[in-house]
Amino acid sequence: MARRLRFNGTGSGVNGCPSLHEDLDTGEFIVHGPPLTEADDVAQLKHLNEGEVPIVVPRELLVDFAPKAVTRVPNIIGLDEFDRLFTQFQHTAWRLESRRRYASDELTDTYAQFTRGEPVNWAGVDAEWCAERREQTGLGKRFERVRIVDNPPTTGQLYLLDNARRNSAVGEKIFNLRRVDANQLSLPTEDFWIFDSRLVALLNFDDADNLVNVELVTEPVAVLRYAMTRDAAMHHAIPYEKFAARLTAKED
């Protein structure tokens, strides 16, 4: 079975070499870069076994992208502290939604309306949440989301596509990305928020699609990986209006 590798970073902004990848299952690291080939240099290496290739790695690559500890203790925050992040950030809040369903959505009256085929009137739904979003966007702050959609879309994904009208009305910018494109981009199957490109709130769900806790990630290298995910997703995602129109045209 192929390894599950995650690209951690590169020491080069030009050709991507050398680079560092992490095996998500074993915790091992894979480095690729220019080999050490000078015979006099290779002769100085100890314990270089047959079949092994010495790789030249800049110090900066290891400093920037290698783990700083053997194990990292998760920083789990309460939901109240998580809620405060949406008013305490200064510039940007960005979300990736990668799940096929969210159990909390299915408990709402709007979800019941939607699944019955009734038009949902989003005006005034969750007025407190809408008022807070309007207040924050009125301060010049930016909220954006990319929602990944399967083919065919799940009921929950179609519900959120309709729900995007409410989010858009209060100042959020909603984009969609097909699952096949997300997989080709090797995007993580995680849900998270990035605030001001300096901290990540990783949303952890149980097997029944309930949000169980929120993990705060502040390590610069880890935050950078999530920011790279954001940049790739935003480059390929399209505004929800265009995505919905294409979906409708395909169904017709």
Side-chain angles (χ1 to χ4, degrees):
M1 180 179 295
R3 292 175 181 256
R4 293 193 308 127
L5 299 181
R6 178 181 66 194
F7 172 68
N8 276 14
T10 177
S12 170
V14 180
N15 58 14
C17 180
S19 294
L20 192 67
H21 290 76
E22 182 177 355
D23 188 315
L24 297 179
D25 296 315
T26 68
E28 296 173 316
F29 283 83
I30 293 89
V31 179
H32 68 80
L36 186 70
T37 56
E38 291 293 333
D40 291 342
D41 296 333
V42 174
Q44 299 178 57
L45 301 178
K46 298 182 182 298
H47 309 296
L48 182 65
N49 296 318
E50 183 178 355
E52 295 179 342
V53 178
I55 303 298
V56 179
V57 180
R59 178 181 295 271
E60 291 81 1
L61 179 67
L62 299 181
V63 170
D64 290 341
F65 298 107
K68 303 303 185 287
V70 176
T71 58
R72 186 176 67 84
V73 179
N75 180 13
I76 304 299
I77 63 174
L79 294 183
D80 288 343
E81 184 176 354
F82 174 55
D83 287 340
R84 287 195 293 271
L85 294 177
F86 293 93
T87 57
Q88 293 175 343
F89 79 98
Q90 296 181 352
H91 308 293
T92 60
W94 187 90
R95 168 81 185 269
L96 179 69
E97 296 183 9
S98 66
R99 304 186 68 81
R100 292 175 170 84
R101 65 182 288 265
Y102 295 89
S104 59
D105 287 343
E106 299 175 9
L107 301 176
T108 64
D109 293 337
T110 53
Y111 189 88
Q113 286 178 287
F114 180 80
T115 54
R116 289 195 300 264
E118 301 172 5
V120 179
N121 181 9
W122 292 104
V125 174
D126 201 347
E128 183 177 350
W129 181 90
C130 291
E132 180 182 280
R133 281 293 193 272
R134 288 193 180 98
E135 179 183 6
Q136 295 300 310
T137 56
L139 295 172
K141 299 180 183 181
R142 189 169 76 243
F143 291 86
E144 296 175 329
R145 302 180 193 233
V146 170
R147 288 169 167 164
I148 296 175
V149 180
D150 289 273
N151 184 21
T154 67
T155 301
Q157 290 166 351
L158 290 173
Y159 168 77
L160 288 177
L161 193 58
D162 193 67
N163 163 272
R165 293 185 289 126
R166 178 195 66 158
N167 293 51
S168 180
V170 298
E172 287 197 358
K173 294 184 178 180
I174 311 297
F175 300 82
N176 289 100
L177 181 66
R178 296 188 308 155
R179 177 81 63 185
V180 63
D181 295 327
N183 290 340
Q184 289 178 350
L185 294 169
S186 299
L187 299 189
T189 55
E190 294 177 311
D191 272 45
F192 59 89
W193 281 94
I194 305 177
F195 296 96
D196 293 332
S197 297
R198 69 176 187 85
L199 64 86
V200 172
L202 180 62
L203 310 185
N204 296 318
F205 293 81
D206 62 19
D207 292 339
D209 300 301
N210 295 294
L211 177 65
V212 292
N213 61 47
V214 178
E215 180 180 345
L216 199 62
V217 179
T218 57
E219 183 184 0
V221 172
V223 173
L224 174 60
R225 287 199 296 266
Y226 287 105
M228 292 164 60
T229 294
R230 175 195 61 200
D231 291 348
M234 287 296 291
H235 183 76
H236 293 274
I238 63 174
Y240 84 91
E241 301 96 332
K242 292 184 179 180
F243 189 91
R246 292 180 184 180
L247 192 63
T248 302
K250 183 179 179 180
E251 291 175 351
D252 294 342

